[in-house]
Amino acid sequence: MLSGAFGKRQNGRYLAASLWDNEDSHQRYADKELPALINESGVKDSTQRISVSLIELHPKWAVI
């Protein structure tokens, strides 16, 4: 992961955003590391839904 951010709204909704080198790197994380993190944190017990969206960032748009 190159970067990440986490935020919470007053209505109990959360947003986690992350920036990855490529889709394969993110997929490995989602398949191998994320399930363990969800279990360890206990967030699954209080979560109704987790959804994921991929937004491709054009290299010329990045200011890092």
Side-chain angles (χ1 to χ4, degrees), residues 2 7 13 15-16 18 24 30-31 37-38 45 50 55 58-59 61:
L2 298 175
R13 296 182 76 179
L15 171 68
S18 55
D24 291 337
D31 292 341
L37 292 172
I38 289 171
D45 298 336
I50 296 175
I55 301 170
H58 191 283
W61 299 345

Side-chain angles (χ1 to χ4, degrees), residues 15-54:
L15 171 68
S18 55
L19 180 63
W20 296 85
D21 284 332
N22 55 54
E23 190 173 351
D24 291 337
S25 294
H26 177 265
Q27 193 61 52
R28 277 192 304 276
Y29 166 79
D31 292 341
K32 296 181 180 180
E33 297 177 42
L34 185 58
L37 292 172
I38 289 171
N39 288 333
E40 289 175 23
S41 69
V43 72
K44 192 171 187 173
D45 298 336
S46 60
T47 303
Q48 293 177 352
R49 181 183 69 209
I50 296 175
S51 59
V52 177
S53 297
L54 172 65

